[in-house]
């Protein structure tokens, strides 16, 4: 069980998350929807331990073990995985090298990695030639998202946070990615927190629960039928104005290891 309790967090001088409560069980899929700027990426980043955020209260546990305060790599070892909204490029490091290090750090067999990478690439239709390149370097937006999904398949985490894994994907890639994640929920009991704007992701990756995030709070939760409804009606019913907020602009790039290099 991934349990997020009363999580409050922000950046210096600004509170972004105002007490988030979520419980994701193994094999469950929870979708988080909400307007731009409501705090969806912040939630994913704070749970994974991205530097630069201040945790103001609450807890994040896997099977009762507290993760807040642990560095990101320890949270990964505890079974947490984050697919970034904007995957970073890592020049000089191949996907296979990165996966070998990650698998070894998790106590797995380094030599199992090449076969696993090839297998996962085939499952999501990622060209093998891409695998020899430096991690994410010169990949299209869609290829990067497939690459994140491939890594999830190789690492087999307990819980995955997917931050708009569907953005930039064409219909075929979207189906392949959604299907792979759905299969992971049965294959190795993956629990999923999927941040998305679109119900089409959720046609293949079937959510058990949909949550609406607005102004750093879960303001509604319901069944899978809510996704199509929200897509049709928007978030006006929640009286939210997140989308109209002026953006304070991006954080300084040099201090931010997860920054979108294209932003
Ligand atoms: P979402 O993913 O729901 O669109 P975010 O979590 O990215 O929203 O952002 C929530 C709010 O917090 C936005 O107003 C955003 O500009 C602000 N924010 C998030 N991260 C930072 C940061 N590192 N520096 C400044 N503002 C930030
Ligand atoms: Mg976001």
């Amino acid at each position: 069980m991934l349990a997020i309790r009363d999580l409050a967090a922000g950046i210096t001088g600004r509170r972004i998350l105002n007490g988030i409560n979520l419980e994701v069980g193994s094999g469950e899929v929870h979708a988080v929807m909400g307007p731009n700027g409501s705090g969806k990426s912040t939630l994913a980043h704070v749970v994974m331990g991205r530097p630069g955020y201040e945790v103001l209260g609450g807890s994040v546990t896997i099977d009762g073990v507290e993760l807040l305060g642990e560095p990101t790599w320890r949270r990964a070892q505890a079974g947490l995985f984050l697919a970034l909204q904007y995957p970073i490029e890592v020049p000089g490091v191949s996907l296979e090298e990165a996966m070998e290090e990650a698998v070894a750090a998790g106590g797995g067999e380094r030599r199992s990695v090449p076969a696993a990478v090839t297998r996962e690439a085939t499952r999501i239709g990622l060209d093998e030639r891409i695998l020899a390149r430096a991690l994410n370097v010169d990949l299209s937006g869609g290829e990067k998202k497939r690459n994140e999904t491939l890594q999830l398949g190789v690492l087999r985490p307990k819980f995955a946070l997917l931050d708009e894994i569907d953005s930039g994907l064409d219909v075929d890639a979207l189906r392949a990615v959604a299907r792979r994640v759905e299969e992971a929920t049965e294959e190795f009991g993956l629990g999923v927190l999927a941040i998305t704007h679109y119900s089409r992701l959720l046609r293949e990756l079937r959510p058990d629960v949909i949550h609406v995030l607005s102004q750093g709070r879960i303001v509604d939760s319901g069944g899978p039928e809510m996704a199509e409804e929200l897509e049709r009606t928007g978030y006006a019913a929640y009286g939210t104005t997140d989308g109209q907020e002026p953006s304070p602009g991006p954080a300084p790039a040099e201090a931010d290891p997860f920054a979108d290099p294209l932003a």
Side-chain angles (χ1 to χ4, degrees), residues 6-249:
D6 298 323
L7 182 62
I11 50 167
T12 311
R14 181 167 169 209
R15 215 175 151 93
I16 301 171
L17 302 180
N18 292 301
I20 303 279
N21 287 287
L22 275 176
E23 286 193 350
V24 182
S26 289
E28 289 179 4
V29 176
H30 291 235
V32 174
M33 304 181 83
N36 294 324
S38 56
K40 304 182 298 298
S41 291
T42 301
L43 173 62
H45 291 152
V46 168
V47 170
M48 195 72 221
R50 173 184 174 173
Y53 290 96
E54 211 177 323
V55 174
L56 303 165
S59 74
V60 176
T61 57
I62 288 183
D63 299 336
V65 178
E66 183 61 62
L67 299 182
L68 293 182
E70 296 290 339
T72 297
W73 62 274
R74 280 216 186 276
R75 300 185 199 200
Q77 281 186 335
L80 206 56
F81 177 93
L82 168 62
L84 290 163
Q85 182 171 3
Y86 304 108
I88 52 163
E89 300 188 359
V90 189
V93 179
S94 73
L95 170 70
E96 203 165 288
E97 287 164 342
M99 287 299 93
E100 282 181 2
E101 291 306 323
V103 165
E109 289 283 346
R110 217 175 261 274
R111 63 195 149 77
S112 70
V113 169
V117 167
T118 306
R119 185 192 65 226
E120 291 298 327
T122 309
R123 287 182 74 166
I124 53 154
L126 195 60
D127 195 313
E128 279 214 52
R129 277 170 303 183
I130 284 168
L131 306 179
R133 290 196 221 157
L135 188 59
N136 283 329
V137 174
D138 294 331
L139 265 56
S140 72
E143 287 166 345
K144 285 180 183 171
K145 294 305 177 106
R146 283 201 248 199
N147 204 350
E148 297 283 281
T149 311
L150 182 156
Q151 291 167 46
L152 187 154
V154 172
L155 295 174
R156 300 168 74 95
K158 290 183 187 157
F159 295 96
L161 311 161
L162 310 177
D163 195 355
E164 299 196 24
I165 191 103
D166 46 354
S167 69
L169 291 177
D170 61 46
V171 270
D172 294 327
L174 176 63
R175 192 172 303 127
V177 162
R179 201 168 278 173
R180 177 66 192 98
V181 178
E182 173 71 31
E183 284 168 7
T185 63
E186 285 169 19
E187 235 175 86
F188 51 93
L190 179 72
V192 179
L193 193 66
I195 294 166
T196 183
H197 286 296
Y198 303 108
S199 59
R200 52 180 193 198
L201 173 77
L202 306 174
R203 279 183 208 135
E204 298 278 343
L205 176 59
R206 302 190 173 278
D208 299 286
V209 193
I210 309 262
H211 306 279
V212 179
L213 187 68
S214 173
Q215 297 178 347
R217 275 198 185 84
I218 305 282
V219 293
D220 200 6
S221 299
E225 69 286 347
M226 263 176 77
E228 314 246 355
E229 177 80 19
L230 283 167
E231 199 170 84
R232 223 175 17 250
T233 60
Y235 303 102
Y238 301 101
T240 169
T241 54
D242 310 57
Q244 281 100 57
E245 266 180 37
S247 167

